[in-house]
mmCIF file of all heavy atoms in Angstrom:
data_model
loop_
_atom_site.group_PDB
_atom_site.id
_atom_site.type_symbol
_atom_site.label_atom_id
_atom_site.label_comp_id
_atom_site.label_asym_id
_atom_site.label_seq_id
_atom_site.Cartn_x
_atom_site.Cartn_y
_atom_site.Cartn_z
ATOM 1 N N MET A 7 -73.815 53.185 47.037
ATOM 2 C CA MET A 7 -73.087 52.363 46.082
ATOM 3 C C MET A 7 -72.859 50.982 46.702
ATOM 4 O O MET A 7 -72.384 50.877 47.829
ATOM 5 C CB MET A 7 -71.737 52.990 45.711
ATOM 6 C CG MET A 7 -71.853 54.337 45.029
ATOM 7 S SD MET A 7 -70.328 54.887 44.208
ATOM 8 C CE MET A 7 -69.131 54.832 45.537
ATOM 9 N N GLN A 8 -73.209 49.955 45.945
ATOM 10 C CA GLN A 8 -72.984 48.590 46.406
ATOM 11 C C GLN A 8 -71.667 48.058 45.880
ATOM 12 O O GLN A 8 -71.271 48.350 44.745
ATOM 13 C CB GLN A 8 -74.116 47.670 45.943
ATOM 14 C CG GLN A 8 -75.356 47.736 46.811
ATOM 15 C CD GLN A 8 -76.272 46.554 46.573
ATOM 16 O OE1 GLN A 8 -76.374 46.068 45.447
ATOM 17 N NE2 GLN A 8 -76.936 46.089 47.624
ATOM 18 N N VAL A 9 -71.003 47.278 46.716
ATOM 19 C CA VAL A 9 -69.757 46.615 46.320
ATOM 20 C C VAL A 9 -69.965 45.113 46.449
ATOM 21 O O VAL A 9 -70.432 44.619 47.484
ATOM 22 C CB VAL A 9 -68.575 47.063 47.205
ATOM 23 C CG1 VAL A 9 -67.300 46.330 46.791
ATOM 24 C CG2 VAL A 9 -68.380 48.576 47.110
ATOM 25 N N TYR A 10 -69.644 44.392 45.383
ATOM 26 C CA TYR A 10 -69.708 42.939 45.386
ATOM 27 C C TYR A 10 -68.302 42.380 45.646
ATOM 28 O O TYR A 10 -67.322 42.854 45.055
ATOM 29 C CB TYR A 10 -70.221 42.416 44.042
ATOM 30 C CG TYR A 10 -71.666 42.747 43.770
ATOM 31 C CD1 TYR A 10 -72.034 43.977 43.230
ATOM 32 C CD2 TYR A 10 -72.679 41.826 44.044
ATOM 33 C CE1 TYR A 10 -73.356 44.288 42.982
ATOM 34 C CE2 TYR A 10 -74.007 42.127 43.799
ATOM 35 C CZ TYR A 10 -74.336 43.354 43.279
ATOM 36 O OH TYR A 10 -75.651 43.660 43.028
ATOM 37 N N PHE A 11 -68.246 41.366 46.497
ATOM 38 C CA PHE A 11 -66.961 40.775 46.877
ATOM 39 C C PHE A 11 -66.885 39.329 46.377
ATOM 40 O O PHE A 11 -67.779 38.525 46.644
ATOM 41 C CB PHE A 11 -66.801 40.783 48.401
ATOM 42 C CG PHE A 11 -66.729 42.159 48.999
ATOM 43 C CD1 PHE A 11 -67.889 42.870 49.271
ATOM 44 C CD2 PHE A 11 -65.499 42.748 49.285
ATOM 45 C CE1 PHE A 11 -67.834 44.153 49.821
ATOM 46 C CE2 PHE A 11 -65.437 44.021 49.829
ATOM 47 C CZ PHE A 11 -66.600 44.716 50.097
ATOM 48 N N ILE A 12 -65.789 39.035 45.666
ATOM 49 C CA ILE A 12 -65.534 37.678 45.199
ATOM 50 C C ILE A 12 -64.755 36.938 46.287
ATOM 51 O O ILE A 12 -63.664 37.378 46.690
ATOM 52 C CB ILE A 12 -64.718 37.696 43.890
ATOM 53 C CG1 ILE A 12 -65.488 38.434 42.785
ATOM 54 C CG2 ILE A 12 -64.352 36.272 43.463
ATOM 55 C CD1 ILE A 12 -66.772 37.793 42.359
ATOM 56 N N ASP A 13 -65.293 35.804 46.749
ATOM 57 C CA ASP A 13 -64.693 35.111 47.884
ATOM 58 C C ASP A 13 -64.520 33.627 47.589
ATOM 59 O O ASP A 13 -65.252 33.044 46.775
ATOM 60 C CB ASP A 13 -65.576 35.301 49.124
ATOM 61 C CG ASP A 13 -64.845 34.997 50.432
ATOM 62 O OD1 ASP A 13 -63.633 34.707 50.390
ATOM 63 O OD2 ASP A 13 -65.495 35.048 51.488
ATOM 64 N N ASN A 14 -63.532 33.059 48.251
ATOM 65 C CA ASN A 14 -63.262 31.628 48.213
ATOM 66 C C ASN A 14 -62.366 31.302 49.396
ATOM 67 O O ASN A 14 -61.403 32.027 49.672
ATOM 68 C CB ASN A 14 -62.590 31.238 46.888
ATOM 69 C CG ASN A 14 -62.092 29.803 46.891
ATOM 70 O OD1 ASN A 14 -60.955 29.546 47.268
ATOM 71 N ND2 ASN A 14 -62.929 28.878 46.470
ATOM 72 N N GLU A 15 -62.673 30.229 50.100
ATOM 73 C CA GLU A 15 -61.931 29.886 51.323
ATOM 74 C C GLU A 15 -60.441 29.712 51.061
ATOM 75 O O GLU A 15 -59.599 30.167 51.834
ATOM 76 C CB GLU A 15 -62.504 28.605 51.935
ATOM 77 C CG GLU A 15 -63.871 28.764 52.577
ATOM 78 C CD GLU A 15 -63.792 29.385 53.962
ATOM 79 O OE1 GLU A 15 -62.941 28.954 54.760
ATOM 80 O OE2 GLU A 15 -64.570 30.315 54.243
ATOM 81 N N ASP A 16 -60.091 29.031 49.980
ATOM 82 C CA ASP A 16 -58.675 28.746 49.709
ATOM 83 C C ASP A 16 -57.904 29.988 49.279
ATOM 84 O O ASP A 16 -56.749 30.168 49.657
ATOM 85 C CB ASP A 16 -58.554 27.667 48.624
ATOM 86 C CG ASP A 16 -59.038 26.313 49.108
ATOM 87 O OD1 ASP A 16 -58.315 25.675 49.893
ATOM 88 O OD2 ASP A 16 -60.148 25.903 48.717
ATOM 89 N N TYR A 17 -58.528 30.828 48.486
ATOM 90 C CA TYR A 17 -57.808 31.951 47.901
ATOM 91 C C TYR A 17 -57.850 33.232 48.728
ATOM 92 O O TYR A 17 -56.919 34.038 48.667
ATOM 93 C CB TYR A 17 -58.364 32.260 46.503
ATOM 94 C CG TYR A 17 -58.033 31.207 45.468
ATOM 95 C CD1 TYR A 17 -58.985 30.805 44.540
ATOM 96 C CD2 TYR A 17 -56.762 30.620 45.409
ATOM 97 C CE1 TYR A 17 -58.689 29.850 43.573
ATOM 98 C CE2 TYR A 17 -56.459 29.655 44.463
ATOM 99 C CZ TYR A 17 -57.429 29.272 43.539
ATOM 100 O OH TYR A 17 -57.129 28.326 42.595
ATOM 101 N N PHE A 18 -58.921 33.454 49.477
ATOM 102 C CA PHE A 18 -59.075 34.777 50.086
ATOM 103 C C PHE A 18 -59.316 34.786 51.592
ATOM 104 O O PHE A 18 -59.529 35.855 52.159
ATOM 105 C CB PHE A 18 -60.192 35.539 49.366
ATOM 106 C CG PHE A 18 -59.882 35.839 47.926
ATOM 107 C CD1 PHE A 18 -60.576 35.213 46.903
ATOM 108 C CD2 PHE A 18 -58.859 36.719 47.597
ATOM 109 C CE1 PHE A 18 -60.280 35.475 45.572
ATOM 110 C CE2 PHE A 18 -58.557 36.987 46.265
ATOM 111 C CZ PHE A 18 -59.254 36.363 45.251
ATOM 112 N N LYS A 19 -59.256 33.643 52.241
ATOM 113 C CA LYS A 19 -59.514 33.638 53.682
ATOM 114 C C LYS A 19 -58.352 34.218 54.487
ATOM 115 O O LYS A 19 -58.542 34.821 55.541
ATOM 116 C CB LYS A 19 -59.811 32.217 54.171
ATOM 117 C CG LYS A 19 -60.266 32.176 55.620
ATOM 118 C CD LYS A 19 -60.674 30.779 56.043
ATOM 119 C CE LYS A 19 -61.184 30.772 57.474
ATOM 120 N NZ LYS A 19 -61.602 29.420 57.916
ATOM 121 N N ARG A 20 -57.105 34.040 54.007
ATOM 122 C CA ARG A 20 -55.922 34.497 54.742
ATOM 123 C C ARG A 20 -56.013 35.983 55.095
ATOM 124 O O ARG A 20 -56.553 36.766 54.329
ATOM 125 C CB ARG A 20 -54.660 34.210 53.924
ATOM 126 C CG ARG A 20 -54.565 34.977 52.623
ATOM 127 C CD ARG A 20 -53.630 34.332 51.604
ATOM 128 N NE ARG A 20 -54.185 33.136 51.025
ATOM 129 C CZ ARG A 20 -53.765 32.580 49.893
ATOM 130 N NH1 ARG A 20 -52.750 33.111 49.234
ATOM 131 N NH2 ARG A 20 -54.317 31.487 49.418
ATOM 132 N N LYS A 21 -55.477 36.353 56.235
ATOM 133 C CA LYS A 21 -55.619 37.714 56.758
ATOM 134 C C LYS A 21 -54.614 38.673 56.117
ATOM 135 O O LYS A 21 -53.797 39.310 56.794
ATOM 136 C CB LYS A 21 -55.439 37.719 58.279
ATOM 137 C CG LYS A 21 -56.442 36.847 59.026
ATOM 138 C CD LYS A 21 -57.842 37.434 58.952
ATOM 139 C CE LYS A 21 -58.822 36.628 59.807
ATOM 140 N NZ LYS A 21 -60.195 37.146 59.720
ATOM 141 N N ALA A 22 -54.643 38.771 54.822
ATOM 142 C CA ALA A 22 -53.708 39.617 54.075
ATOM 143 C C ALA A 22 -54.267 39.812 52.672
ATOM 144 O O ALA A 22 -55.252 39.172 52.289
ATOM 145 C CB ALA A 22 -52.330 38.970 54.019
ATOM 146 N N THR A 23 -53.631 40.697 51.906
ATOM 147 C CA THR A 23 -54.089 40.924 50.535
ATOM 148 C C THR A 23 -53.240 40.125 49.540
ATOM 149 O O THR A 23 -53.611 39.030 49.141
ATOM 150 C CB THR A 23 -54.052 42.424 50.187
ATOM 151 O OG1 THR A 23 -52.755 42.954 50.503
ATOM 152 C CG2 THR A 23 -55.115 43.186 50.964
ATOM 153 N N LEU A 24 -52.085 40.659 49.165
ATOM 154 C CA LEU A 24 -51.287 40.029 48.099
ATOM 155 C C LEU A 24 -49.955 39.463 48.584
ATOM 156 O O LEU A 24 -49.318 38.685 47.867
ATOM 157 C CB LEU A 24 -51.018 41.055 46.984
ATOM 158 C CG LEU A 24 -52.274 41.668 46.360
ATOM 159 C CD1 LEU A 24 -51.902 42.812 45.431
ATOM 160 C CD2 LEU A 24 -53.073 40.608 45.623
ATOM 161 N N THR A 25 -49.542 39.840 49.798
ATOM 162 C CA THR A 25 -48.235 39.397 50.321
ATOM 163 C C THR A 25 -48.392 38.913 51.765
ATOM 164 O O THR A 25 -49.339 39.275 52.464
ATOM 165 C CB THR A 25 -47.198 40.532 50.296
ATOM 166 O OG1 THR A 25 -47.684 41.630 51.101
ATOM 167 C CG2 THR A 25 -46.969 41.039 48.874
ATOM 168 N N ASP A 26 -47.410 38.095 52.201
ATOM 169 C CA ASP A 26 -47.427 37.639 53.590
ATOM 170 C C ASP A 26 -46.819 38.705 54.493
ATOM 171 O O ASP A 26 -46.465 39.805 54.038
ATOM 172 C CB ASP A 26 -46.698 36.294 53.731
ATOM 173 C CG ASP A 26 -45.217 36.371 53.352
ATOM 174 O OD1 ASP A 26 -44.627 37.478 53.394
ATOM 175 O OD2 ASP A 26 -44.633 35.321 53.034
ATOM 176 N N GLU A 27 -46.668 38.387 55.778
ATOM 177 C CA GLU A 27 -46.200 39.379 56.755
ATOM 178 C C GLU A 27 -44.761 39.810 56.506
ATOM 179 O O GLU A 27 -44.335 40.856 56.990
ATOM 180 C CB GLU A 27 -46.337 38.817 58.164
ATOM 181 C CG GLU A 27 -45.582 37.521 58.385
ATOM 182 C CD GLU A 27 -45.892 36.899 59.731
ATOM 183 O OE1 GLU A 27 -46.884 37.290 60.376
ATOM 184 O OE2 GLU A 27 -45.137 36.002 60.133
ATOM 185 N N ASP A 28 -44.019 39.041 55.714
ATOM 186 C CA ASP A 28 -42.647 39.410 55.370
ATOM 187 C C ASP A 28 -42.560 40.143 54.032
ATOM 188 O O ASP A 28 -41.465 40.448 53.551
ATOM 189 C CB ASP A 28 -41.753 38.160 55.323
ATOM 190 C CG ASP A 28 -41.657 37.475 56.678
ATOM 191 O OD1 ASP A 28 -41.541 38.198 57.696
ATOM 192 O OD2 ASP A 28 -41.706 36.237 56.721
ATOM 193 N N GLY A 29 -43.715 40.397 53.422
ATOM 194 C CA GLY A 29 -43.732 41.113 52.151
ATOM 195 C C GLY A 29 -43.544 40.245 50.930
ATOM 196 O O GLY A 29 -43.391 40.755 49.814
ATOM 197 N N ASN A 30 -43.569 38.922 51.118
ATOM 198 C CA ASN A 30 -43.411 38.002 49.986
ATOM 199 C C ASN A 30 -44.760 37.759 49.308
ATOM 200 O O ASN A 30 -45.772 37.553 49.973
ATOM 201 C CB ASN A 30 -42.832 36.670 50.463
ATOM 202 C CG ASN A 30 -41.473 36.827 51.109
ATOM 203 O OD1 ASN A 30 -40.585 37.481 50.564
ATOM 204 N ND2 ASN A 30 -41.290 36.242 52.284
ATOM 205 N N MET A 31 -44.743 37.787 47.987
ATOM 206 C CA MET A 31 -45.971 37.537 47.226
ATOM 207 C C MET A 31 -46.477 36.123 47.481
ATOM 208 O O MET A 31 -45.687 35.180 47.559
ATOM 209 C CB MET A 31 -45.686 37.719 45.733
ATOM 210 C CG MET A 31 -45.391 39.143 45.334
ATOM 211 S SD MET A 31 -46.890 40.065 44.983
ATOM 212 C CE MET A 31 -47.334 39.377 43.403
ATOM 213 N N PHE A 32 -47.793 35.973 47.601
ATOM 214 C CA PHE A 32 -48.354 34.635 47.754
ATOM 215 C C PHE A 32 -48.135 33.835 46.472
ATOM 216 O O PHE A 32 -48.295 34.353 45.361
ATOM 217 C CB PHE A 32 -49.845 34.724 48.068
ATOM 218 C CG PHE A 32 -50.146 35.246 49.437
ATOM 219 C CD1 PHE A 32 -50.917 36.383 49.610
ATOM 220 C CD2 PHE A 32 -49.645 34.608 50.559
ATOM 221 C CE1 PHE A 32 -51.202 36.868 50.872
ATOM 222 C CE2 PHE A 32 -49.921 35.089 51.837
ATOM 223 C CZ PHE A 32 -50.692 36.223 51.996
ATOM 224 N N SER A 33 -47.766 32.574 46.632
ATOM 225 C CA SER A 33 -47.404 31.745 45.476
ATOM 226 C C SER A 33 -48.590 31.468 44.555
ATOM 227 O O SER A 33 -48.404 31.117 43.387
ATOM 228 C CB SER A 33 -46.811 30.417 45.953
ATOM 229 O OG SER A 33 -47.754 29.699 46.738
ATOM 230 N N ASP A 34 -49.821 31.616 45.073
ATOM 231 C CA ASP A 34 -51.005 31.342 44.247
ATOM 232 C C ASP A 34 -51.681 32.612 43.743
ATOM 233 O O ASP A 34 -52.852 32.572 43.343
ATOM 234 C CB ASP A 34 -52.000 30.477 45.011
ATOM 235 C CG ASP A 34 -52.551 31.149 46.267
ATOM 236 O OD1 ASP A 34 -52.034 32.226 46.642
ATOM 237 O OD2 ASP A 34 -53.497 30.600 46.871
ATOM 238 N N ASN A 35 -50.973 33.733 43.735
ATOM 239 C CA ASN A 35 -51.585 34.979 43.250
ATOM 240 C C ASN A 35 -52.052 34.869 41.803
ATOM 241 O O ASN A 35 -53.016 35.537 41.397
ATOM 242 C CB ASN A 35 -50.626 36.155 43.398
ATOM 243 C CG ASN A 35 -50.676 36.780 44.781
ATOM 244 O OD1 ASN A 35 -51.607 36.561 45.551
ATOM 245 N ND2 ASN A 35 -49.664 37.572 45.113
ATOM 246 N N ASP A 36 -51.382 34.026 41.018
ATOM 247 C CA ASP A 36 -51.820 33.839 39.631
ATOM 248 C C ASP A 36 -53.199 33.186 39.587
ATOM 249 O O ASP A 36 -54.092 33.634 38.850
ATOM 250 C CB ASP A 36 -50.803 32.999 38.848
ATOM 251 C CG ASP A 36 -50.636 31.590 39.404
ATOM 252 O OD1 ASP A 36 -50.649 31.428 40.652
ATOM 253 O OD2 ASP A 36 -50.492 30.642 38.610
ATOM 254 N N GLU A 37 -53.406 32.162 40.413
ATOM 255 C CA GLU A 37 -54.696 31.488 40.444
ATOM 256 C C GLU A 37 -55.768 32.387 41.057
ATOM 257 O O GLU A 37 -56.936 32.343 40.646
ATOM 258 C CB GLU A 37 -54.595 30.177 41.224
ATOM 259 C CG GLU A 37 -53.703 29.145 40.535
ATOM 260 C CD GLU A 37 -53.674 27.819 41.276
ATOM 261 O OE1 GLU A 37 -54.504 27.608 42.184
ATOM 262 O OE2 GLU A 37 -52.808 26.986 40.925
ATOM 263 N N ARG A 38 -55.379 33.205 42.010
ATOM 264 C CA ARG A 38 -56.326 34.146 42.609
ATOM 265 C C ARG A 38 -56.813 35.142 41.549
ATOM 266 O O ARG A 38 -57.993 35.508 41.519
ATOM 267 C CB ARG A 38 -55.674 34.884 43.775
ATOM 268 C CG ARG A 38 -55.277 33.971 44.922
ATOM 269 C CD ARG A 38 -54.395 34.695 45.916
ATOM 270 N NE ARG A 38 -55.156 35.272 46.999
ATOM 271 C CZ ARG A 38 -54.769 36.313 47.727
ATOM 272 N NH1 ARG A 38 -53.627 36.927 47.445
ATOM 273 N NH2 ARG A 38 -55.512 36.770 48.709
ATOM 274 N N ALA A 39 -55.896 35.581 40.680
ATOM 275 C CA ALA A 39 -56.265 36.508 39.608
ATOM 276 C C ALA A 39 -57.214 35.842 38.602
ATOM 277 O O ALA A 39 -58.183 36.465 38.133
ATOM 278 C CB ALA A 39 -55.019 37.025 38.894
ATOM 279 N N ILE A 40 -56.931 34.584 38.255
ATOM 280 C CA ILE A 40 -57.813 33.848 37.340
ATOM 281 C C ILE A 40 -59.202 33.678 37.961
ATOM 282 O O ILE A 40 -60.226 33.918 37.319
ATOM 283 C CB ILE A 40 -57.209 32.469 36.988
ATOM 284 C CG1 ILE A 40 -55.894 32.630 36.213
ATOM 285 C CG2 ILE A 40 -58.201 31.632 36.173
ATOM 286 C CD1 ILE A 40 -55.102 31.338 36.049
ATOM 287 N N PHE A 41 -59.229 33.275 39.229
ATOM 288 C CA PHE A 41 -60.492 33.060 39.936
ATOM 289 C C PHE A 41 -61.287 34.359 40.026
ATOM 290 O O PHE A 41 -62.504 34.371 39.809
ATOM 291 C CB PHE A 41 -60.214 32.515 41.336
ATOM 292 C CG PHE A 41 -61.457 32.163 42.110
ATOM 293 C CD1 PHE A 41 -62.017 30.902 42.007
ATOM 294 C CD2 PHE A 41 -62.059 33.092 42.947
ATOM 295 C CE1 PHE A 41 -63.175 30.570 42.712
ATOM 296 C CE2 PHE A 41 -63.212 32.781 43.656
ATOM 297 C CZ PHE A 41 -63.770 31.514 43.547
ATOM 298 N N PHE A 42 -60.597 35.448 40.340
ATOM 299 C CA PHE A 42 -61.270 36.741 40.462
ATOM 300 C C PHE A 42 -61.907 37.149 39.137
ATOM 301 O O PHE A 42 -63.081 37.543 39.083
ATOM 302 C CB PHE A 42 -60.279 37.799 40.941
ATOM 303 C CG PHE A 42 -60.882 39.159 41.153
ATOM 304 C CD1 PHE A 42 -62.010 39.326 41.937
ATOM 305 C CD2 PHE A 42 -60.315 40.285 40.577
ATOM 306 C CE1 PHE A 42 -62.578 40.585 42.134
ATOM 307 C CE2 PHE A 42 -60.859 41.545 40.769
ATOM 308 C CZ PHE A 42 -62.002 41.692 41.544
ATOM 309 N N ALA A 43 -61.151 37.040 38.044
ATOM 310 C CA ALA A 43 -61.678 37.420 36.730
ATOM 311 C C ALA A 43 -62.912 36.597 36.367
ATOM 312 O O ALA A 43 -63.961 37.135 35.982
ATOM 313 C CB ALA A 43 -60.599 37.260 35.660
ATOM 314 N N LYS A 44 -62.801 35.291 36.493
ATOM 315 C CA LYS A 44 -63.921 34.425 36.130
ATOM 316 C C LYS A 44 -65.100 34.619 37.082
ATOM 317 O O LYS A 44 -66.268 34.585 36.676
ATOM 318 C CB LYS A 44 -63.463 32.955 36.106
ATOM 319 C CG LYS A 44 -62.458 32.678 34.995
ATOM 320 C CD LYS A 44 -61.856 31.287 35.084
ATOM 321 C CE LYS A 44 -62.779 30.226 34.558
ATOM 322 N NZ LYS A 44 -62.083 28.904 34.440
ATOM 323 N N GLY A 45 -64.783 34.853 38.370
ATOM 324 C CA GLY A 45 -65.836 35.057 39.353
ATOM 325 C C GLY A 45 -66.645 36.312 39.081
ATOM 326 O O GLY A 45 -67.881 36.313 39.202
#
């Protein structure tokens, strides 16, 4: 099974998924969701 990954330096380079090391949501998660859908 192949998996395709949507990538962008600004949105997905950080070493985390949806929250920072303190558990706070990234402020640009809305734009990341838009980018992911369109990508």
